Amino acid sequence: MGESLESGTVPMEKGRFTFPKSEKLCLRDEIEAVFVSRTSFVNYPVRTLFVLTERADGAPRLKFLISVPKKRLRHAVDRNRVKRLYREAFRLRKSAFEELVPEGKTLLLAMVFVSDKVCTFSEAQASVRKALSKLTDALRDVKSDPTEPLSDVDS
């Protein structure tokens, strides 16, 4: 075990490589909070939305959601494949995302697929890696001035 889907393509990080139900963004209020916050950036083929919230007792530091609209990919098999690829790419980088979250906060992270073509695993990995670097910059700005509201981070 411990090997990536394509051997040698994913540098192994320290940490647990699990993605339990508690770390899935599925509560209506939390999903609404992410989409209402309007803090987002695009790193093609996904749009990444995020918001920092206060962490409740026993809540995870990070919750993740991937959405693939039917308008973009008409076939369910294609939508499911893209979601599976992004969940796997995220799972392998999850510990790096968790390190960004300040103490006492939960990062709610949603990715919306905006391409109309099914991607490969390497493209999903690259997209998640870019999202991590853009999110690092965005959260660094938030940490430097916590009184300033979050704004669109499009670049």
Side-chain angles (χ1 to χ4, degrees):
M1 293 309 238
E3 293 291 322
S4 65
L5 292 179
E6 300 169 13
S7 63
T9 60
V10 178
M12 297 306 283
E13 301 172 14
K14 293 181 181 178
R16 291 183 25 223
F17 295 103
T18 61
F19 190 42
K21 170 77 171 167
S22 63
E23 293 176 355
K24 293 177 180 156
L25 186 57
C26 55
L27 293 177
R28 183 181 301 256
D29 292 340
E30 291 177 338
I31 294 171
E32 187 175 310
V34 172
F35 285 92
V36 167
S37 74
R38 308 287 297 162
T39 52
S40 65
F41 54 86
V42 175
N43 55 321
Y44 193 80
V46 294
R47 178 172 199 66
T48 304
L49 301 106
F50 64 95
V51 67
L52 281 172
T53 62
E54 295 298 321
R55 186 170 1 160
D57 293 336
R61 297 182 72 165
L62 178 66
K63 287 189 164 192
F64 177 73
L65 164 87
I66 179 72
S67 173
V68 182
K70 190 174 185 178
K71 182 178 181 180
R72 300 291 181 180
L73 295 175
R74 300 297 293 171
H75 301 283
V77 66
D78 293 336
R79 291 192 304 274
N80 292 338
R81 175 157 180 81
V82 169
K83 288 188 283 189
R84 190 170 42 251
L85 292 174
Y86 270 88
R87 278 193 304 264
E88 179 65 8
F90 174 78
R91 184 186 67 84
L92 294 172
R93 297 254 180 228
K94 184 178 74 169
S95 60
F97 280 96
E98 286 177 337
E99 290 172 4
L100 299 176
V101 183
E103 197 60 40
K105 299 280 188 181
T106 296
L107 176 65
L108 305 178
L109 183 67
M111 290 185 174
V112 180
F113 195 74
V114 294
S115 176
D116 57 352
K117 295 187 172 138
V118 177
C119 65
T120 64
F121 182 65
S122 60
E123 291 169 340
Q125 281 183 309
S127 180
V128 169
R129 196 171 27 250
K130 282 187 222 170
L132 177 61
S133 67
K134 285 187 176 185
L135 191 61
T136 302
D137 295 339
L139 290 179
R140 187 178 306 121
D141 294 342
V142 171
K143 287 179 189 176
S144 64
D145 188 7
T147 60
E148 183 178 309
L150 296 174
S151 60
D152 259 351
V153 195
D154 280 330
S155 52

